[in-house]
Amino acid sequence: MAANRRPTLADVAREVGVSAKTVSRVLNEDGPASAQTREQVLAAVAKLGFQPNLMARNIRVGGPDTTIGLVIPDLANPFFGAVARAIEDTVRERGLTLLMGSSADDPDRERALTDKFLARRVSILIVVPSVGADHSHLKSHRTAGLPIVFLDRPGAGLAADSIVSSNRAGAHDGVAHLVAHGHRRIGFIGDLPTKLYTRRERLAGYRSALHEADIPYDRSLVTNAHDQRGAEAATAQLLDLADPPTALFAGNNIMALGIVAELARGKRKEVAVVAFDDVSLAEALEPALTVVAQDAEELGRTAATTALTRLDGDRSRARTITVPTRLIVRGSGEQPAPGRRET
């Protein structure tokens, strides 16, 4: 066998001196084989480093793969990393392996990834939907019994289980916390695109907290960005207003990093900050960052257990499960508005 070629079933058969069919029976445990033959085949597999083509076998016999396909928008975002880890930990107990790919929030790339996962007959498909994606092409697969779960955001064109955070309520709580410390000029820096489900829900929570406090909604205090540098620029833009905000609400963890960096650069410790999503080393900042924390692990676990329940035969109607957020008070969100004395 050439050194640069992967070993095949035929190579194992040749090593043992049996037919390829016999090797296949041993490896798939789907036919008679003596204990001696089995021992010889397994020894040859180990010696040659042969890896069975599970995908080809599953297509041949018409069965599902032992994998789960997960599509997320950004592999670099620690939030989605924590979600994926929780999914992997949950499905591992069932002997399933997690396969993951990034859509970069591009509907075409998302479709290509889901098609690849479907081609290898994954047992479960979990998708964080991209803005503008149409999931109606998955209807036949769901009808055929494939568990499909939308995570973090609802899908479009398909009735399937959705696991989301309490985005609107969480944002409301974070902004209300700033209002309680005397702030009436509160800036909002949200993610892009503006049609993103989580961005829309968090902006709605921001607006509802203002309305509840009889604070007029001011469009000049609402801006957007898609990365840390953009959030830094958006922060500088808000602080340059003739009547600047005394507090800022970050629409996600990436926005929070940009806000913190710009405030630190300008030595603006008096500006209060609350962020939606926790960030690494939030407690080490000065002041420590107050956040509305999503439970990434619970989102991942819930998505996985919901999918496993479907895999076990649950055919009830699609449902949306909302995972609560919680406000973590650390210091940055408790900076009082100018002229207000905290008691």
Side-chain angles (χ1 to χ4, degrees):
M1 184 178 67
N4 62 348
R5 183 172 65 82
R6 295 177 67 182
T8 66
L9 196 74
D11 294 323
V12 176
R14 192 177 302 112
E15 178 76 17
V16 179
V18 297
S19 69
K21 188 173 182 180
T22 297
V23 173
S24 179
R25 281 202 303 267
V26 170
L27 296 180
N28 296 322
E29 299 181 350
D30 61 358
S34 69
Q36 181 181 3
T37 298
R38 176 178 170 78
E39 183 178 333
Q40 290 174 333
V41 167
L42 295 179
V45 166
K47 175 183 175 181
L48 298 177
F50 172 70
Q51 291 289 331
N53 188 336
L54 295 178
M55 179 180 173
R57 176 187 178 275
N58 291 329
I59 291 175
R60 185 175 68 252
V61 302
D65 198 356
T66 56
T67 55
I68 286 182
L70 171 63
V71 180
I72 62 174
D74 184 3
L75 291 170
N77 190 323
F79 169 75
F80 290 112
V83 168
R85 183 174 62 248
I87 293 173
E88 185 174 40
D89 289 345
T90 304
V91 302
R92 185 186 296 121
E93 300 173 1
R94 293 283 294 268
L96 298 170
T97 302
L98 182 67
L99 300 178
M100 183 166 56
S102 170
S103 67
D105 259 328
D106 182 316
D108 293 334
R109 187 164 165 177
E110 178 194 311
R111 173 68 182 265
L113 273 171
T114 57
D115 285 348
K116 287 180 180 178
F117 287 146
L118 293 170
R120 66 172 297 146
R121 302 182 68 83
V122 291
S123 296
I124 291 169
L125 182 63
I126 301 176
V127 180
V128 179
S130 304
V131 174
D134 179 6
H135 303 97
S136 58
H137 68 286
L138 297 173
K139 285 182 179 178
S140 60
H141 299 279
R142 186 177 187 277
T143 300
L146 174 69
I148 298 173
V149 175
F150 294 124
L151 177 61
D152 189 54
R153 316 161 187 172
L158 178 70
D161 296 321
S162 296
I163 315 300
V164 299
S165 290
S166 54
N167 293 284
R168 187 176 302 211
H172 173 279
D173 292 346
V175 175
H177 185 71
L178 292 169
V179 170
H181 286 81
H183 297 280
R184 296 185 65 83
R185 297 286 291 172
I186 303 171
F188 176 94
I189 302 180
D191 199 358
L192 287 172
T194 57
K195 291 183 179 180
L196 186 68
Y197 167 79
T198 50
R199 192 264 186 199
R200 288 189 287 107
E201 286 293 294
R202 293 168 194 174
L203 179 61
Y206 163 86
R207 296 190 66 164
S208 70
L210 296 182
H211 178 75
E212 188 176 86
D214 292 324
I215 299 174
Y217 174 69
D218 186 342
R219 288 181 181 273
S220 71
L221 293 178
V222 175
T223 186
N224 313 286
H226 193 54
D227 55 27
Q228 182 174 332
R229 287 192 177 182
E232 292 174 19
T235 301
Q237 172 190 324
L238 288 173
L239 295 179
D240 280 343
L241 291 173
D243 187 8
T246 61
L248 296 171
F249 184 80
N252 67 18
N253 53 357
I254 305 302
M255 302 303 102
L257 293 174
I259 290 172
V260 168
E262 182 62 26
L263 292 179
R265 186 178 297 113
K267 299 184 178 359
R268 300 292 301 272
K269 291 186 178 181
E270 81 283 2
V271 178
V273 180
V274 172
F276 199 107
D277 280 349
D278 211 348
V279 300
S280 179
L281 300 177
E283 294 180 339
L285 300 173
E286 182 57 43
L289 188 63
T290 294
V291 301
V292 176
Q294 296 190 86
D295 193 337
E297 289 78 13
E298 185 60 24
L299 282 166
R301 279 193 298 270
T302 303
T305 54
T306 299
L308 290 172
T309 299
R310 297 296 189 187
L311 191 65
D312 291 338
D314 180 3
R315 295 294 181 266
S316 60
R317 294 182 64 180
R319 56 192 179 271
T320 297
I321 300 175
T322 302
V323 176
T325 56
R326 64 190 180 100
L327 180 70
I328 302 177
V329 174
R330 296 194 179 113
S332 69
E334 293 69 63
Q335 301 286 341
R340 176 188 172 98
R341 181 176 297 176
E342 296 289 282
T343 58

